[in-house]
Amino acid sequence: MSQNNSEKFAQQLSELRLGIDELDSQLIELMAKRAELTCQVGEIKAKTGMPVYVPEREAEMLDKRKQQAEQLGVSSSLIEDLLRRIMRESYHLQNNRYRCINPGIKRIVIIGGAGALGSVFVGLFERSGYNVDILEKDDWECAADLFAAASLVLVSVPINLTVDVIHSLKKLPADCILADITSIKHKPLAAMMEAHNGPVVGLHPMFGPDAPGMIKQVVVVCHGRQADKYDWLLEQMQTWGASLIEVSADDHDQAMAFIQVMRHFNTFVYGAHLAGENPDLVQLTNLSSPIYRLELAMVGRLFAQSPTLYADIIFNNPDNFVLLERFHQRFGEALKLLNNGNKAEFVRQFNAIGEWFGDYAKTCLIDSKRLLLKADDDQMLRT
Amino acid sequence: MSQNNSEKFAQQLSELRLGIDELDSQLIELMAKRAELTCQVGEIKAKTGMPVYVPEREAEMLDKRKQQAEQLGVSSSLIEDLLRRIMRESYHLQNNRYRCINPGIKRIVIIGGAGALGSVFVGLFERSGYNVDILEKDDWECAADLFAAASLVLVSVPINLTVDVIHSLKKLPADCILADITSIKHKPLAAMMEAHNGPVVGLHPMFGPDAPGMIKQVVVVCHGRQADKYDWLLEQMQTWGASLIEVSADDHDQAMAFIQVMRHFNTFVYGAHLAGENPDLVQLTNLSSPIYRLELAMVGRLFAQSPTLYADIIFNNPDNFVLLERFHQRFGEALKLLNNGNKAEFVRQFNAIGEWFGDYAKTCLIDSKRLLLKADDDQMLRT
């Protein structure tokens, strides 16, 4: 390439880049303007008590923009991804105030309200205009006074303390609601029913404390007693954006045996195995494709968290151990397939499991691929 | 609220929404303009042979925009996420033409070039100005003619066929490069060294066929013989945006035993366990938090894929079976901790594993949380 040509190209390139930078600046200004408008929307919603998240409005708005994008020759999946990310931000910005569903409520006591998930509830209640008292183990001497004035007592303490804390509750007012947010439900619910004669409900918020509020999150509801008395509480959580799922405490705990206990225990052993075999971790991540980096991350993330939390979840119910024993057996049986070189039977079982998963396997594949593209945008999970 | 007030609010809300819609329209127009400019950038890059992906330019540009966002009171993480997603699109759009690193190359033969990953390479070579011939098993009769004219023969066939295909290669020209892209490396590389006296290199592209090109992807390089002769090929892949990692075939295969074999086998057993226990899958996903939906998706996704592919990966090397046996043992030992109620030892081991993971555990946790927020934007993985 001649000197002249290469200079010409360099100049063209730098002009184009200036143009792109200018458009990106406009993007930021656009976002600033949009944030202003969504804040105003949030204020009106708070005043009128309208929900922050309206799935139909979101879907309709996305559809319109995707159509417009296609007309302009812009990738509709790009626009969808951008708008979804932008909407996450607006929900966040609109999160300041919520409608108070039951202004008649006197005080709400959150036991463990200074904890990670407890403080999420404290914030949500306060931003909905309720008076909240936080009760931690060090200020138990004021407990009786707080309980006497409470319309709702919410237990938000570590699993292994939940039942004891519930048993230690001094007599609550007859119409006070007793609720908990532990990730197991049978034992706490039974304990609450025993400790209190008034309204009782077990909750399990299916999200961690770092989720941005409760929008689009699932909260499991296990009914205890006098549901009409705590209806407002369920409606309040819906106002915060939650989807409620009502199941029995036993069904909940059975599902959690699969979802939590089984998965965490397997991950624990996987981590133990890696540490025991001691491969070069940096080499491993360097040699990993995005999907394997994600797989590894799902293992690694466990060990950045509280050992006792996971010990409590796993050791909580010895009834679950048989499920783990059967996994161990199945692993042994699958190993026999390998040692016998029985590929045909492996393939047969693989297909049968695929049939059990049904269409969900396909959904998992498609969604996980989309997710990996997003992880790749960020060069995530690389050492 | 009075009728008047509620009408006033409804009107304000609808005006604000019109304003938001208008801004979103502008966003789409902005993206159309940006796409035009990035296409022109792509053309210049193709002409001058500049790489599509320049990490420094990307980082510098992001930094500037994030600063600008903060000055305007816009969340810098919002702007970063948006720009990263937009850049993915531009790389895609710029993907049309690549610089040809070695115009002296006569013909490239890709055995299995009609397959999923093979066709990715066909496309990349063709868009870089090379002549590519695809050889599938049905047109093996023209193989000798194609080989005679080839400067590079790339083997891209299923694992279980790779070594046989390599052994069946008719005499290649002495200066022809022989390469493969199988996900195991020791056996194919040894076979290639035996089948051909000229330049030989083993490659393992660490990405699936649905990745958008090779930008930001890892390709493992296992050197065989006469590296100076295939230098251009490595440089060509870097032009496509790949990061190359050079390791020995044995180190590669050992890492893959952990990354692929161990993980897939565990996932297979996990799926077998779920199907065997037969819980209500819809209930399970409904009761799942984002992280558990992702965990479940990592299992489910396996079974939407080819059973024989995974059978080939897992059964390929019986040396790996002892690794799986030791996992099985460790699982049994961990079960004993449960049955003995030995929480203290569980916690001790948990901490030791955390130490083994070191800072990477934290990275995994942070990155997986970010990723889950992205999954949540889309309400992914819900049945």
Side-chain angles (χ1 to χ4, degrees):
Chain A
M1 200 177 301
S2 75
Q3 177 79 29
N4 265 353
N5 254 351
S6 97
E7 267 172 29
K8 194 186 80 189
F9 283 136
Q11 180 164 1
Q12 281 178 352
L13 197 58
S14 104
E15 276 166 24
L16 288 169
R17 282 180 170 168
L18 280 177
I20 291 173
D21 286 350
E22 169 56 27
L23 293 176
D24 290 345
S25 291
Q26 287 179 24
L27 171 71
I28 298 172
E29 284 162 22
L30 211 59
M31 289 305 109
K33 284 187 207 159
R34 202 184 190 280
E36 233 170 78
L37 297 188
T38 50
C39 274
Q40 291 179 37
V41 169
E43 278 164 30
I44 293 181
K45 283 185 175 176
K47 276 185 206 152
T48 56
M50 292 171 64
V52 171
Y53 168 52
V54 186
E56 296 73 24
R57 154 94 185 141
E58 188 179 295
E60 187 204 344
M61 190 255 228
L62 276 174
D63 269 353
K64 262 200 245 163
R65 293 302 146 237
K66 283 164 70 180
Q67 279 176 28
Q68 187 189 353
E70 273 169 23
Q71 281 159 13
L72 285 174
V74 174
S75 145
S76 61
S77 82
L78 169 67
I79 294 304
E80 178 170 359
D81 284 350
L82 296 181
L83 285 175
R84 284 192 187 279
R85 178 63 185 85
I86 292 168
M87 285 188 286
R88 188 210 302 170
E89 209 67 19
S90 349
Y91 292 136
H92 221 52
L93 293 169
Q94 290 180 30
N95 252 344
N96 281 323
R97 305 288 315 156
Y98 293 99
R99 178 181 166 210
C100 178
I101 296 291
N102 191 350
I105 290 301
K106 285 168 295 182
R107 303 200 71 86
I108 293 172
V109 178
I110 302 191
I111 306 177
L117 196 54
S119 58
V120 171
F121 276 83
V122 172
L124 288 166
F125 277 119
E126 285 184 342
R127 285 185 281 139
S128 312
Y130 296 97
N131 293 308
V132 181
D133 294 306
I134 295 173
L135 187 63
E136 289 289 324
K137 54 177 175 299
D138 293 337
D139 33 40
W140 205 250
E141 66 270 23
C142 21
D145 288 348
L146 291 180
F147 291 150
S151 302
L152 164 63
V153 171
L154 186 67
V155 181
S156 170
V157 300
I159 291 189
N160 61 329
L161 304 178
T162 303
V163 169
D164 286 347
V165 165
I166 291 169
H167 282 315
S168 76
L169 288 180
K170 303 282 180 295
K171 222 175 142 48
L172 303 178
D175 57 350
C176 175
I177 302 163
L178 178 57
D180 82 306
I181 55 169
T182 317
S183 65
I184 51 168
K185 292 272 63 79
H186 179 89
K187 286 183 193 172
L189 189 60
M192 290 194 295
M193 294 295 278
E194 206 186 304
H196 181 50
N197 291 321
V200 164
V201 62
L203 304 172
H204 183 190
M206 303 301 299
F207 55 90
D210 38 79
M214 209 179 268
I215 287 165
K216 301 187 187 185
Q217 302 293 358
V218 172
V219 178
V220 174
V221 177
C222 299
H223 291 291
R225 183 195 293 131
Q226 298 179 29
D228 55 315
K229 297 278 170 55
Y230 56 77
D231 239 12
W232 68 268
L233 176 59
L234 306 186
E235 204 184 326
Q236 188 65 60
M237 291 193 290
Q238 285 171 314
T239 307
W240 295 335
S243 308
L244 305 184
I245 297 197
E246 304 175 18
V247 288
S248 73
D250 285 337
D251 281 357
H252 169 274
D253 287 2
Q254 224 178 337
M256 288 309 127
F258 284 102
I259 297 171
Q260 296 198 316
V261 180
M262 187 60 228
R263 197 70 193 153
H264 290 320
F265 186 73
N266 190 263
T267 300
F268 170 78
V269 177
Y270 206 94
H273 186 52
L274 280 177
E277 299 290 329
N278 197 23
D280 181 344
L281 189 58
V282 175
Q283 171 106 305
L284 230 50
T285 54
N286 282 342
L287 290 177
S288 289
S289 60
I291 183 76
Y292 294 115
R293 276 195 296 272
L294 183 55
E295 297 261 20
L296 194 57
M298 299 298 275
V299 179
R301 77 192 301 280
L302 183 75
F303 299 97
Q305 299 176 76
S306 157
T308 49
L309 171 66
Y310 288 102
D312 287 343
I313 291 175
I314 291 170
F315 282 78
N316 168 64
N317 187 356
D319 291 352
N320 293 332
F321 297 171
V322 289
L323 190 65
L324 304 176
E325 300 273 7
R326 286 201 294 273
F327 178 90
H328 189 230
Q329 267 170 31
R330 288 194 173 100
F331 200 101
E333 283 156 23
L335 271 176
K336 278 186 210 148
L337 292 183
L338 291 193
N339 288 321
N340 298 334
N342 196 347
K343 253 196 206 186
E345 175 60 15
F346 178 92
V347 169
R348 195 198 62 74
Q349 289 185 16
F350 193 104
N351 283 321
I353 300 162
E355 270 169 41
W356 183 80
F357 271 102
D359 291 339
Y360 190 60
K362 194 103 199 170
T363 305
C364 290
L365 186 63
I366 294 167
D367 281 1
S368 61
K369 280 180 180 177
R370 282 192 66 186
L371 197 58
L372 288 172
L373 288 176
K374 295 187 182 204
D376 248 30
D377 290 345
D378 285 26
Q379 299 258 301
M380 268 184 184
L381 306 171
R382 310 207 171 178
T383 39
Chain B
M1 197 174 306
S2 74
Q3 177 78 33
N4 266 352
N5 254 349
S6 98
E7 267 172 28
K8 195 186 79 188
F9 284 137
Q11 180 164 2
Q12 281 179 350
L13 197 60
S14 105
E15 276 166 23
L16 287 169
R17 282 181 170 165
L18 279 176
I20 291 173
D21 285 351
E22 169 56 27
L23 292 176
D24 290 345
S25 291
Q26 288 179 23
L27 171 71
I28 297 173
E29 284 161 21
L30 212 60
M31 290 304 109
K33 284 187 207 157
R34 201 184 189 282
E36 234 170 75
L37 296 188
T38 49
C39 273
Q40 290 178 38
V41 168
E43 277 164 29
I44 293 182
K45 284 185 174 175
K47 274 185 206 151
T48 56
M50 292 170 66
V52 170
Y53 167 52
V54 185
E56 296 74 24
R57 154 94 186 141
E58 188 178 297
E60 186 203 346
M61 191 255 231
L62 276 175
D63 270 354
K64 262 200 245 162
R65 293 302 146 238
K66 282 163 71 179
Q67 279 176 27
Q68 188 189 355
E70 274 168 23
Q71 280 158 11
L72 286 175
V74 175
S75 145
S76 61
S77 82
L78 169 68
I79 294 303
E80 177 171 0
D81 284 351
L82 295 182
L83 285 175
R84 285 195 187 278
R85 178 62 185 85
I86 291 168
M87 285 187 287
R88 187 210 304 172
E89 207 69 19
S90 345
Y91 293 136
H92 221 52
L93 292 169
Q94 289 180 29
N95 251 342
N96 281 323
R97 305 289 315 159
Y98 292 98
R99 178 179 165 212
C100 179
I101 297 291
N102 190 349
I105 290 301
K106 284 168 297 184
R107 305 200 69 85
I108 293 172
V109 177
I110 302 191
I111 306 177
L117 196 54
S119 58
V120 170
F121 277 83
V122 172
L124 288 166
F125 277 120
E126 285 185 342
R127 284 185 283 138
S128 312
Y130 296 96
N131 294 308
V132 181
D133 294 306
I134 295 173
L135 187 62
E136 288 291 324
K137 55 178 176 297
D138 294 337
D139 34 41
W140 205 252
E141 67 268 23
C142 19
D145 289 348
L146 291 180
F147 292 149
S151 302
L152 164 63
V153 171
L154 186 67
V155 181
S156 170
V157 300
I159 291 190
N160 62 328
L161 304 178
T162 303
V163 170
D164 286 347
V165 164
I166 291 170
H167 281 315
S168 76
L169 288 178
K170 301 283 181 294
K171 222 176 143 44
L172 303 177
D175 58 351
C176 175
I177 302 163
L178 179 57
D180 82 306
I181 54 169
T182 317
S183 66
I184 52 169
K185 292 271 64 78
H186 179 89
K187 286 184 195 172
L189 189 60
M192 290 193 297
M193 294 296 276
E194 204 187 305
H196 180 50
N197 291 321
V200 165
V201 62
L203 304 172
H204 183 189
M206 303 301 298
F207 55 91
D210 39 80
M214 208 178 270
I215 287 165
K216 302 187 187 184
Q217 302 293 0
V218 172
V219 178
V220 174
V221 177
C222 299
H223 291 290
R225 182 194 295 130
Q226 298 179 29
D228 56 313
K229 296 280 169 54
Y230 57 76
D231 240 12
W232 69 268
L233 176 59
L234 306 187
E235 204 185 328
Q236 188 66 59
M237 290 193 291
Q238 285 172 313
T239 307
W240 295 335
S243 309
L244 304 184
I245 297 197
E246 303 175 19
V247 288
S248 74
D250 284 338
D251 281 356
H252 168 275
D253 286 3
Q254 225 179 336
M256 287 309 127
F258 285 101
I259 297 171
Q260 297 199 316
V261 179
M262 188 59 228
R263 198 70 193 151
H264 289 321
F265 187 73
N266 189 263
T267 301
F268 169 78
V269 177
Y270 205 95
H273 186 51
L274 279 178
E277 299 290 328
N278 196 25
D280 181 343
L281 189 58
V282 174
Q283 171 107 307
L284 230 50
T285 54
N286 281 342
L287 291 177
S288 290
S289 61
I291 183 75
Y292 294 116
R293 276 194 296 272
L294 183 54
E295 296 262 21
L296 194 58
M298 299 297 276
V299 179
R301 78 191 300 282
L302 182 75
F303 298 97
Q305 298 176 74
S306 156
T308 49
L309 171 66
Y310 288 101
D312 287 343
I313 291 175
I314 292 170
F315 281 78
N316 168 65
N317 186 355
D319 291 352
N320 293 332
F321 297 171
V322 289
L323 189 65
L324 304 177
E325 302 272 6
R326 287 200 294 274
F327 178 90
H328 188 232
Q329 266 168 32
R330 288 194 172 99
F331 200 101
E333 283 157 23
L335 272 176
K336 278 184 210 149
L337 292 183
L338 292 194
N339 288 320
N340 299 334
N342 197 346
K343 254 194 203 186
E345 175 60 15
F346 178 91
V347 169
R348 196 199 62 74
Q349 289 186 15
F350 193 105
N351 283 322
I353 300 163
E355 270 168 41
W356 183 80
F357 271 102
D359 290 339
Y360 190 61
K362 195 103 199 168
T363 305
C364 290
L365 186 62
I366 294 167
D367 282 1
S368 62
K369 279 179 180 178
R370 281 193 67 187
L371 198 57
L372 288 173
L373 287 177
K374 295 188 182 204
D376 248 29
D377 290 345
D378 285 28
Q379 299 258 299
M380 268 183 183
L381 305 171
R382 310 208 170 177
T383 40

